[in-house]
Amino acid sequence: MNLPNKLTLLRAILVPFFILFFYLEQVPGNYIIAFVIFAVASFTDFLDGHIARKQGLVTTFGKFLDPLADKVLVVSALCCFTEKGLMSAIPLIIIVAREFMVSGLRLVTANEGVVVAAGIWGKLKTAFTMVAIVAILLFCCAGVTEKFEVISDVLIWISTALTVISGGVYLKGYWKYIDTDK
């Protein structure tokens, strides 16, 4: 297993630890630990892709696990935030629906031998969503979630808008593989 795949696997392994420390309020600094875990996991997303492309280490395993690890990390954080009342369930539902749609699209196009690569909108959506999550975690660390509720809401809704845009771009770009019943 190459280094990029190990980093991707590390990201997937870190998710339960993020969740654990996010909820362990009896542990002093639990939000700080959860923040550090999420930040490290997010950085592995950048690092694994950078190394894989630069050193020609792109693998089928990486193509499979990388987007899955990203989705699990992000959706886990958003679910935690929703349960704690730090965000509405509506953006979460939209984000998860888009992820199902893109995953389904990838399955359909794979049957045609076409790979749906991450485009600029998808990468922008992922990066901004991770930034929004980091910001919310920082508010949790500072214990000021109510004071910064508007900022958190704006960040999440921008992330949701980017999610809808990127989903629309993917759908438009690969519609011919779905619309075959003409």
Side-chain angles (χ1 to χ4, degrees), residues 105-118:
L105 187 60
R106 284 191 166 113
L107 287 172
V108 169
T109 61
N111 286 336
E112 302 291 326
V114 176
V115 174
V116 177

Side-chain angles (χ1 to χ4, degrees), residues 7 16 20 27 34 37 39-40 44 52 74 85 96 107 117 121 125 131 147 154 158 161 168 176:
L7 290 169
L20 177 69
V27 173
I37 293 169
V40 168
T44 67
V74 167
V96 169
L107 287 172
W121 283 103
K125 178 265 317 172
V131 167
K147 185 176 180 182
V154 168
I158 290 171
K176 65 184 174 184

Side-chain angles (χ1 to χ4, degrees), residues 74-75 78-79 81-82 86-99 125 129 136 152-161 163-164:
V74 167
V75 171
L78 296 178
C79 285
F81 295 165
T82 301
L86 299 172
M87 65 176 273
S88 165
I90 296 169
L92 174 62
I93 293 165
I94 293 168
I95 290 167
V96 169
R98 181 262 187 208
E99 297 306 339
K125 178 265 317 172
T129 302
I136 293 169
S152 297
D153 286 347
V154 168
L155 291 174
I156 288 298
W157 280 106
I158 290 171
S159 176
T160 304
T163 296
V164 170

Side-chain angles (χ1 to χ4, degrees), residues 24 52 56 61 68 70 77 84 93 100 102 117 149 152 154 160 169 178 182:
L24 277 179
F61 179 79
L68 181 61
D70 293 346
K84 289 264 189 168
I93 293 165
F100 282 141
V102 171
E149 188 176 326
S152 297
V154 168
T160 304
V169 168
I178 299 170
K182 292 181 181 178

